[in-house]
């Protein structure tokens, strides 16, 4: 199977843009729109499709080695792509203490899709961009393996996300997206004509530099009008405080849509707070990018 032939997977593109009648936004004169990237493909939903597509074409059927934590949606999507397109995958997982434990549902899904999981200690994982570390990992990988970075974020991924911004051009004034490694935001902002807001789901204040570096690698310099609001990470990655759980459950009850907690809920909660703070002028159309679905629903 030639990995270049992604069209046979029949991605749903452009993804739907759905208005949501929510009085928490309407009372401020705002229109909330959901950009349903979670519906692009059942196994490679959301930003994972957009970030992987050009990388998979570049890999051209070679084995793919990539990185992620124990609950990484990126690892799951890469493993699924390998199964569907017929190429080997290796997932380098943060935390060697996990090696002797039963696999959690995310990693079990990766393994079921044929991904070889390699658990490394945290010091090694932190050095995942070091050429010597990558070379050592490649020695244990299938010959000719193509390396995709953590979260899939590199110049090719950024270029793949430009189309997301173009799909929203003229249909929204503000585009908002939850951010892990910054690749989706970097591409979205480059393709969008309005204001782009990133909501980091990790603490640390490092993401702005990462987005700038990704745009430099992809385009040779900055693109688009983008900013970050660092307040809504909920304590850090994979942290879901009670206030966020309550918000997500309420949103689900109002709109009948299951909300992924680690990314999407944080972004939507942040938008609600910003609306209450008067961050958006009346009449603003806000497109919230739904980058993924809860575990077990995609």
């Amino acid at each position: 199977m030639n990995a270049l032939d992604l069209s046979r997977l029949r991605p749903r593109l452009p993804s739907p843009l759905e208005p949501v009648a929510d009085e928490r936004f309407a009372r401020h004169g705002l229109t909330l729109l959901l950009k349903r990237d979670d519906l692009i493909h059942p196994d490679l939903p959301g930003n994972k499709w957009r970030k992987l597509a050009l990388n998979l074409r570049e890999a051209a059927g070679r084995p793919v080695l990539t990185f992620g934590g124990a609950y990484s949606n990126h690892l799951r999507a890469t493993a699924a792509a390998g199964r569907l397109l017929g190429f080997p995958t290796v997932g380098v997982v943060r935390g060697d203490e996990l090696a002797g434990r039963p696999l959690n549902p995310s990693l079990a899904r990766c393994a079921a899709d044929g991904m070889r999981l390699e658990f490394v200690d945290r010091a090694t994982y932190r050095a995942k961009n070091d050429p010597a570390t990558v070379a050592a990992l490649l020695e244990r990988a299938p010959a000719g393996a193509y390396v995709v970075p953590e979260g899939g974020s590199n110049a090719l991924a950024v270029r793949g996300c430009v189309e997301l911004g173009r799909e929203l051009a003229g249909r929204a004034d503000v585009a908002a997206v939850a951010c892990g490694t910054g690749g989706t935001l970097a591409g979205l902002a480059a393709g969008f004509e309005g204001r782009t807001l990133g909501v980091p789901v990790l603490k640390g204040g490092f993401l702005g530099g990462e987005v700038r570096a990704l745009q430099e690698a992809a385009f040779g310099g900055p693109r688009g009008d983008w900013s970050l609001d660092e307040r809504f990470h909920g304590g850090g990655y994979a942290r879901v405080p009670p206030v966020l759980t309550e918000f997500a459950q309420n949103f689900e009850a109002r709109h009948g849509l299951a909300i992924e907690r680690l990314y999407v809920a944080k972004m939507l909660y942040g938008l609600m707070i910003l609306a209450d703070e008067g961050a958006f002028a009346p009449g603003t159309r806000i497109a919230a990018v739904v980058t993924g679905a809860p575990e077990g629903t995609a």
Side-chain angles (χ1 to χ4, degrees), residues 268-294:
L268 289 170
Y269 177 74
L271 288 177
M272 184 187 71
I273 298 299
L274 286 165
D276 287 341
E277 293 175 348
F280 309 111
T284 299
R285 299 167 297 172
I286 304 168
V289 182
V290 181
T291 49

Side-chain angles (χ1 to χ4, degrees), residues 177-185 197-202 207 211 228 263 267:
V177 66
C179 305
T181 52
T184 303
L185 173 63
L197 173 66
V199 178
V201 302
L202 292 87
L207 197 62
V211 175
L228 298 170
Y263 288 85
M267 179 264 301

Side-chain angles (χ1 to χ4, degrees), residues 49-59 146-149 152-162 183 187 214 217-219:
W49 174 278
R50 297 187 190 271
K51 293 168 78 174
L52 278 172
L54 294 184
N55 275 291
L56 296 183
R57 289 195 178 100
E58 182 69 18
Y146 176 83
V147 178
V148 176
S153 288
N154 58 11
L156 287 174
V158 172
R159 293 181 195 129
C161 291
V162 171
L214 285 165
F219 312 117

Side-chain angles (χ1 to χ4, degrees), residues 11-273:
R12 186 178 181 183
L13 291 170
S15 61
L17 184 64
E18 301 175 349
V20 174
D22 194 309
E23 68 270 20
R24 293 170 296 185
F25 293 86
R27 66 177 177 234
H28 300 293
L30 307 174
T31 299
L32 179 65
L33 307 162
L34 298 183
K35 181 60 169 165
R36 296 295 305 276
D37 268 21
D38 58 313
L39 300 178
I40 290 176
H41 191 277
D43 292 303
L44 285 80
N47 60 342
K48 302 312 173 189
W49 174 278
R50 297 187 190 271
K51 293 168 78 174
L52 278 172
L54 294 184
N55 275 291
L56 296 183
R57 289 195 178 100
E58 182 69 18
R62 287 179 285 160
V64 170
L65 180 146
T66 193
F67 303 83
Y71 294 92
S72 170
N73 291 325
H74 168 67
L75 288 183
R76 283 179 53 198
T78 303
R83 169 176 56 83
L84 292 167
L85 295 168
F87 61 86
T89 57
V90 178
V92 180
V93 183
R94 180 179 61 246
D96 57 347
E97 73 278 4
L98 301 173
R101 300 179 184 175
L103 298 178
N104 66 35
S106 291
L107 294 179
R109 175 82 169 269
C110 291
D113 280 341
M115 175 173 274
R116 194 183 89 199
L117 300 174
E118 181 165 347
F119 298 91
V120 299
D121 62 79
R122 292 168 191 275
T124 300
Y125 194 86
R126 284 194 296 271
K128 59 187 175 295
N129 296 323
D130 176 70
T133 300
V134 173
L137 292 168
L138 286 172
E139 285 182 2
R140 302 192 292 272
Y146 176 83
V147 178
V148 176
E150 181 182 42
S153 288
N154 58 11
L156 287 174
V158 172
R159 293 181 195 129
C161 291
V162 171
E163 191 61 29
L164 170 59
R166 291 175 179 158
E167 289 174 17
L168 291 171
R171 306 183 69 189
D173 306 298
V174 174
V177 66
C179 305
T181 52
T184 303
L185 173 63
L188 167 60
F192 186 54
E193 298 171 345
R195 170 186 167 196
T196 306
L197 173 66
V199 178
V201 302
L202 292 87
K203 296 191 295 183
F206 63 90
L207 197 62
E210 295 292 321
V211 175
R212 286 188 287 273
L214 285 165
Q215 289 197 330
E216 178 71 30
F219 312 117
R223 292 289 189 277
D225 175 14
W226 61 270
S227 62
L228 298 170
D229 195 315
E230 307 268 1
R231 295 179 291 162
F232 305 114
H233 51 68
Y237 184 70
R239 302 287 180 86
V240 183
V243 65
L244 189 65
T245 298
E246 181 181 357
F247 167 80
Q249 291 173 341
N250 181 272
F251 194 95
E252 290 170 336
R254 287 169 181 256
H255 304 300
L257 173 66
I259 296 297
E260 189 273 328
R261 300 298 198 259
L262 304 187
Y263 288 85
V264 178
K266 293 180 179 183
M267 179 264 301
L268 289 170
Y269 177 74
L271 288 177
M272 184 187 71
I273 298 299

